[in-house]
């Protein structure tokens, strides 16, 4: 069982309309993991950083961020959080885009997705805000490899 937290980045989503955050929470808990905390923040570097810093001080070994990863100027999640990682996991974004091409075509090539290790030895995934993208990432990449990654960073 892994403790996890969620950050939903969106200028429009609320607790009632956060389908991706709810999907992540449900899928992770159904897989036997322990939900700790969720934040919904605007596409704003300071709000994203504040929520991220709060999760760094929890028992979370996994932080799942959804939204704000596109190529629009307002999408600042990756630019904000990736520099905070002590190690980047480049294969995650590469593989996510590769398998997403099968689902959505070449649009996937502009899909932002990244992952890394925090200075508190947590894994942090930066996912697109679409529920389908979160489902692809969780079911095909994150959940199948999560136990292995946790063991690797705690060596």
């Amino acid at each position: 069982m892994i403790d996890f937290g969620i950050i939903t980045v969106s200028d429009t989503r609320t607790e009632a309309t956060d389908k991706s955050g709810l999907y992540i929470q449900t899928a992770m808990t159904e897989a036997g993991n322990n939900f700790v905390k969720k934040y919904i923040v605007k596409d704003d570097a300071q709000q994203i950083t504040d929520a991220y810093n709060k999760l760094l001080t929890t028992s979370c070994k996994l932080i799942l961020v959804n939204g704000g990863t596109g190529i629009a100027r307002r999408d600042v999640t990756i630019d904000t959080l990736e520099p905070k990682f002590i190690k980047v996991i480049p294969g995650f974004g590469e593989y996510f885009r590769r398998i997403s091409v099968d689902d959505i075509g070449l649009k996937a090539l502009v899909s932002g997705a990244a992952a890394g290790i925090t200075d508190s030895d947590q894994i942090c995934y930066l996912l697109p805000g679409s529920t389908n993208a979160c489902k692809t990432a969780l079911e095909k990449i994150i959940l199948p490899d999560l136990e292995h990654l946790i063991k690797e960073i705690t060596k």
Side-chain angles (χ1 to χ4, degrees):
M1 179 167 52
I2 305 294
D3 286 354
F4 71 96
I6 300 167
I7 302 171
T8 294
V9 179
S10 173
D11 289 334
T12 58
R13 291 197 181 141
T14 65
E15 192 65 44
T17 62
D18 182 20
K19 292 179 184 176
S20 295
L22 178 61
Y23 167 77
I24 292 168
Q25 183 177 346
T26 301
M28 289 294 296
T29 54
E30 285 178 354
N33 299 295
N34 182 49
F35 173 68
V36 175
K37 182 72 179 168
K38 179 172 88 169
Y39 296 96
I40 299 175
V41 299
K42 301 287 185 201
D43 279 300
D44 173 80
Q46 190 60 56
Q47 287 188 33
I48 294 167
T49 298
D50 289 347
Y52 173 82
N53 286 339
K54 288 175 185 174
L55 288 176
L56 290 180
T57 65
T58 68
S59 63
C60 291
K61 292 305 291 174
L62 176 65
I63 299 171
L64 297 157
V65 182
N66 73 95
T69 62
I71 59 171
R73 287 185 184 192
R74 74 177 191 283
D75 294 325
V76 297
T77 298
I78 292 174
D79 294 335
T80 300
L81 295 182
E82 194 173 56
K84 298 180 183 316
F85 298 158
I86 60 167
K87 289 203 178 222
V88 174
I89 305 170
F92 169 73
E94 295 163 1
Y95 187 64
F96 174 81
R97 280 180 286 283
R98 162 56 195 94
I99 62 176
S100 294
V101 167
D102 295 338
D103 290 337
I104 63 171
L106 292 177
K107 301 189 282 191
L109 298 180
V110 297
S111 179
I117 309 302
T118 73
D119 61 0
S120 301
D121 289 333
Q122 296 154 309
I123 301 169
C124 183
Y125 287 97
L126 311 178
L127 310 174
S130 98
T131 305
N132 187 53
C134 292
K135 183 176 182 175
T136 296
L138 277 177
E139 292 179 5
K140 295 183 179 178
I141 307 171
I142 296 169
L143 285 171
D145 199 39
L146 185 57
E147 192 173 315
H148 166 251
L149 285 176
I150 295 292
K151 285 180 184 175
E152 286 297 312
I153 66 170
T154 57
K155 280 185 176 178

